[in-house]
């Protein structure tokens, strides 16, 4: 056998080995992150036998993986963060709640990870809930609103603070919806803080803007970022469905369909001095008054 033929056979062998290796990786990834067909069909049958239909697609999608994030609990101890929003002599605290007043307005930071803001001169403003029209489809406007909100929250500055220097997550803001009220030329924006793409809190945040000026804001946003990422053994979608079946028992409302399951993190302040971000899920049904929220670590129904 000449050298040229040997080289060709070696290349063919290595190519075949690489293909086999890639297939094995793909199969392993699939088995680890997706349910097999028989498991999916069995769960659908179990749920339907108890009177709960399940919208197809929920079990077929990739199953998410989560961490538990931890960090310093109290923003009151993070002067470098507070100074981003006001002068030292305008910072006051009551327990772990902190208020910061500047020429632009007043921030109130609360121990549960929520905040509120009111711009100076707009205290008497009242929004007209029934006059807002959704304009979320205008992507340039949506991007403009996001830039205004990120500047307002000082996201880039927060990343550079000493208190957040050891942060283990990529923090961003996801804009869910943009709405416009023409009488006062006011925009209402709903948004979420995200850690590595996952929403923080179920309810998120709401901002009112005149032009690009934020006149009112509030919701859940952790200005102190987590500094530890702990592996979490979480309940998966299949087990959540089984727990829902057990919860309803014989009292399943007629015509009930499990329509969607969404995931987010919830903020918990512990007596050990740390703040924990716990993975949660929200189970939606076709009936608006039926909803379930689960702690994915403990399996507790909230």
């Amino acid at each position: 056998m000449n050298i040229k033929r040997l080289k060709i056979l070696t290349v063919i062998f290595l190519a075949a080995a690489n293909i086999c290796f890639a297939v094995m990786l793909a199969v392993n990834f699939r088995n680890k992150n997706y349910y097999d067909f028989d498991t999916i069909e069995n769960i659908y049958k179990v749920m339907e036998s108890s009177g709960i239909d399940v919208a197809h697609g929920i079990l077929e999608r990739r199953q998410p993986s989560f961490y538990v994030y931890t960090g310093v609990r109290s923003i009151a101890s993070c002067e470098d963060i507070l100074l981003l929003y006001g002068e030292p002599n305008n910072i006051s605290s009551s327990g772990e709640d902190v208020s910061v007043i500047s020429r632009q307005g007043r921030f109130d930071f609360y121990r549960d990870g929520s905040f509120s803001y009111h711009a100076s001169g707009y205290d008497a403003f009242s929004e007209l809930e029934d006059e807002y029209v959704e304009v979320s489809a205008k992507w340039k406007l949506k991007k403009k609103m996001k830039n205004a909100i990120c500047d307002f929250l000082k996201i880039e500055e927060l990343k550079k603070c000493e208190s957040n220097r050891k942060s283990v997550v990529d923090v961003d803001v996801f804009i869910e919806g943009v709405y416009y009220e023409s009488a006062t030329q006011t925009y209402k924006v709903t948004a979420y803080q995200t850690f590595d793409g996952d929403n923080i809190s179920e309810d998120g945040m709401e901002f009112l803007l005149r032009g690009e000026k934020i006149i009112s804001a509030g919701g859940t946003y952790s200005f102190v970022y987590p500094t530890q990422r702990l592996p979490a053994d979480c309940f998966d979608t299949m087990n959540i469905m089984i727990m829902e079946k057990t919860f309803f028992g014989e009292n399943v409302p007629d015509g009930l369909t499990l329509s969607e399951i969404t995931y987010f993190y919830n903020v918990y302040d512990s007596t050990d001095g740390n703040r924990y971000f716990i993975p949660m899920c929200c189970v939606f049904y076709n009936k608006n008054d039926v909803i379930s929220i689960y702690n994915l670590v403990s399996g507790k129904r909230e």
Side-chain angles (χ1 to χ4, degrees), residues 71-74 96 110-114 266-277:
V72 177
R73 181 182 66 187
S74 175
E96 294 174 358
Y110 306 106
R111 69 178 303 273
D112 62 355
S114 64
N266 216 354
V267 181
Y268 287 97
D269 288 333
S270 172
T271 54
D272 65 8
N274 288 320
R275 167 167 288 176
Y276 291 86
F277 300 87

Side-chain angles (χ1 to χ4, degrees), residues 263-302:
Y263 301 90
F264 62 97
Y265 280 85
N266 216 354
V267 181
Y268 287 97
D269 288 333
S270 172
T271 54
D272 65 8
N274 288 320
R275 167 167 288 176
Y276 291 86
F277 300 87
I278 306 296
M280 312 282 289
C281 81
C282 191
V283 184
F284 294 95
Y285 291 89
N286 59 326
K287 298 179 183 293
N288 292 334
D289 59 338
V290 182
I291 189 171
S292 302
I293 296 176
Y294 283 92
N295 181 317
L296 292 178
V297 176
S298 68
K300 180 181 177 182
R301 193 175 190 273
E302 300 287 310

Side-chain angles (χ1 to χ4, degrees), residues 32-35 39 43 58-59 62-66 232-244 261 263 281 283 294-297 299:
K32 183 179 179 181
N33 295 282
Y34 292 84
Y35 295 124
T39 298
I43 292 300
I58 296 176
L59 286 169
R62 179 182 177 183
Q63 296 305 300
S65 58
F66 299 98
D233 186 13
C234 295
F235 287 83
D236 62 3
T237 306
M238 180 177 64
N239 281 298
I240 292 299
M241 288 188 180
I242 297 300
M243 286 190 284
E244 279 293 89
I261 297 179
Y263 301 90
C281 81
V283 184
Y294 283 92
N295 181 317
L296 292 178
V297 176

